[in-house]
Amino acid sequence: MKAILLRHVLTPLVTRIGTALAAYLLAKGMDGDLTDQLINGLTAVVLVAVDLCTRWLTPDVKEGA
């Protein structure tokens, strides 16, 4: 049971957390000055890269399964 929960619930959640944090930072930084927006954008790119790397490391999880 733990393996099923880990494979079908927790792993997809962890692999998408980077994208969720990146979207939050981009929405938060829109009314800041240019430097804050640049830092938020770079952080968002790094978080999406982490998301893609974790997805690459767990190729056995199928979308929609």
Side-chain angles (χ1 to χ4, degrees):
M1 183 69 172
K2 287 182 184 179
I4 292 172
L5 286 175
L6 179 69
R7 184 178 216 169
H8 294 289
V9 176
L10 189 61
T11 303
L13 184 65
V14 169
T15 59
R16 296 297 167 223
I17 207 159
T19 302
L21 289 172
Y24 169 75
L25 285 175
L26 286 176
K28 179 184 163 215
M30 294 310 285
D31 62 347
D33 64 348
L34 187 58
T35 305
D36 288 338
Q37 290 180 13
L38 180 61
I39 291 171
N40 284 340
L42 290 174
T43 304
V45 168
V46 169
L47 290 172
V48 169
V50 167
D51 178 28
L52 292 174
C53 288
T54 57
R55 180 70 180 144
W56 178 70
L57 291 173
T58 57
D60 59 336
V61 177
K62 297 196 179 354
E63 292 294 326

